[in-house]
Amino acid sequence: TELVTNGTFDTDSDWTLGLQMSISNGVLSLSNTAFAVTSSQNIGYVAGTNVHITVDVTLTSGIVEIWLGGTASYDYQMISATSSGTYTVSKASSGTDGVLYIRSLAAGTTATVDNISIKLADADRSVNNNGLIINGTVTRSPVATGADLVAYSGFSGSNYLEQPYNSDLDFGTGDFSVMGWVKFSGTSAETIFRRQDAAESGARFGVDISPALKIRFFSGVTFIDGTTSVNTNTWVFFAAIRSSGVSSVYVNGASEASSASTDNVTNTSAILKVGLRAGGAVPLANGSIAFLRISATAPTAEQIAKIY
């Protein structure tokens, strides 16, 4: 759910404007001559919640900053824009609850701000810290009674996790790997995750439950299937690997299938959806996912067995 109202600045409503800030022609304009200026909006987030922020900044001089905080204070900086461009960040905010601030602390700043968006996100726990946007309602529940580790379920055409285009996932023809755990009880094909353009016409990679209820790994136009049926409603570890031009599927630490794979999986229009295909079909309606991870390296068979 979008937390910002009128983030496209189509009207002059919904914002408390600071001095030397104005809304016109579909943008927020800043022009501060000698002191800090701030515009704000109460967006109702809770401090510590993971959020995904994007904003377009056109900067002639100075600095534009995006902060989160309480009704009386801005206390957590999310973005500091020092040049023109689209800025994106996914992380948790600390401090106090509720308010978005667009600020300029540098005297002499001349800039415009447009298309600011803040959505709730699930954390990316890798060093990249690029979280997934929560679309609709995705269930998080312990993988077992008393466990701290949670699994994700309840996927549908409107309930899924999504990451906008991320160049870190453009692996070209090189090595990469995907690993995770799935618990599945369905009787037909469903999607664990897919990275592709929304039209599903360009390069792709992903992992599905195949019509034969096996793990299926897509790396470009080709795919390979494992041999173990996974519709057992028990947790299954899968690893989908491309290494030195060969794609392989592992289930519960054991190699099950391999095939030559040199397709280029780079797609600069791609989005990543978890629990759903990029075009919005075939959700993981009868399954749960835990520990999903993607890497630009490929572990060895021995490492996969050790991980399992």
Side-chain angles (χ1 to χ4, degrees):
T1 302
E2 177 61 61
L3 299 182
V4 180
T5 303
N6 189 26
T8 55
F9 302 102
D10 292 332
T11 69
D12 60 1
S13 61
D14 307 303
W15 292 92
T16 300
L17 297 179
L19 295 173
Q20 300 180 2
M21 287 185 168
S22 63
I23 294 175
S24 62
N25 300 318
V27 297
L28 173 69
S29 296
L30 299 77
S31 179
N32 60 320
T33 56
F35 50 83
V37 294
T38 303
S39 289
S40 63
Q41 180 182 138
N42 193 327
I43 60 173
Y45 80 98
V46 176
T49 300
N50 288 287
V51 293
H52 181 90
I53 302 178
T54 61
V55 62
D56 294 334
V57 176
T58 301
L59 192 66
T60 302
S61 60
I63 301 172
V64 173
E65 299 172 341
I66 307 299
W67 290 67
L68 296 176
T71 56
S73 65
Y74 42 87
D75 53 15
Y76 197 79
Q77 186 185 95
M78 303 294 283
I79 291 172
S80 178
T82 57
S83 61
S84 297
T86 298
Y87 289 80
T88 300
V89 66
S90 293
K91 61 182 178 180
S93 66
S94 60
T96 48
D97 296 343
V99 181
L100 160 68
Y101 293 91
I102 301 174
R103 310 199 65 223
S104 170
L105 295 177
T109 295
T110 302
T112 63
V113 175
D114 199 8
N115 300 319
I116 185 166
S117 169
I118 301 181
K119 296 180 179 181
L120 296 179
D122 195 70
D124 170 9
R125 291 176 173 82
S126 77
V127 296
N128 297 296
N129 194 26
N130 193 353
L132 299 173
I133 296 169
I134 302 168
N135 288 273
T137 301
V138 176
T139 300
R140 288 167 44 119
S141 55
V143 297
T145 301
D148 293 324
L149 176 65
V150 297
Y152 297 77
S153 61
F155 298 104
S156 71
S158 55
N159 301 314
Y160 57 93
L161 301 173
E162 177 181 356
Q163 186 182 78
Y165 172 70
N166 176 3
S167 61
D168 289 337
L169 302 181
D170 281 334
F171 300 127
T173 58
D175 294 356
F176 69 98
S177 60
V178 183
M179 291 180 283
W181 291 77
V182 62
K183 184 166 71 170
F184 181 67
S185 60
T187 58
S188 61
E190 298 187 13
T191 306
I192 295 176
F193 87 94
R194 188 69 61 84
R195 184 187 189 260
Q196 195 175 20
D197 52 283
E200 297 188 356
S201 60
R204 66 183 176 180
F205 68 87
V207 177
D208 285 3
I209 307 296
S210 76
L213 309 180
K214 313 295 199 303
I215 294 294
R216 172 170 287 181
F217 175 35
F218 290 90
S219 55
V221 298
T222 59
F223 64 85
I224 57 172
D225 292 348
T227 58
T228 299
S229 295
V230 297
N231 64 328
T232 58
N233 202 32
T234 58
W235 285 107
V236 172
F237 173 70
F238 67 88
I241 310 298
R242 186 168 74 179
S243 178
S244 300
V246 176
S247 287
S248 303
V249 169
Y250 293 76
V251 175
N252 291 340
S255 176
E256 295 202 336
S258 295
S259 177
S261 174
T262 57
D263 295 336
N264 191 332
V265 299
T266 291
N267 185 340
T268 57
S269 299
I271 53 178
L272 171 70
K273 290 187 178 180
V274 176
L276 193 67
R277 288 184 183 174
V282 197
L284 187 69
N286 297 286
S288 301
I289 307 170
F291 265 152
L292 180 65
R293 49 210 189 270
I294 302 174
S295 174
T297 61
T300 64
E302 291 78 12
Q303 288 171 327
I304 292 169
K306 182 80 172 189
I307 291 167
Y308 171 65

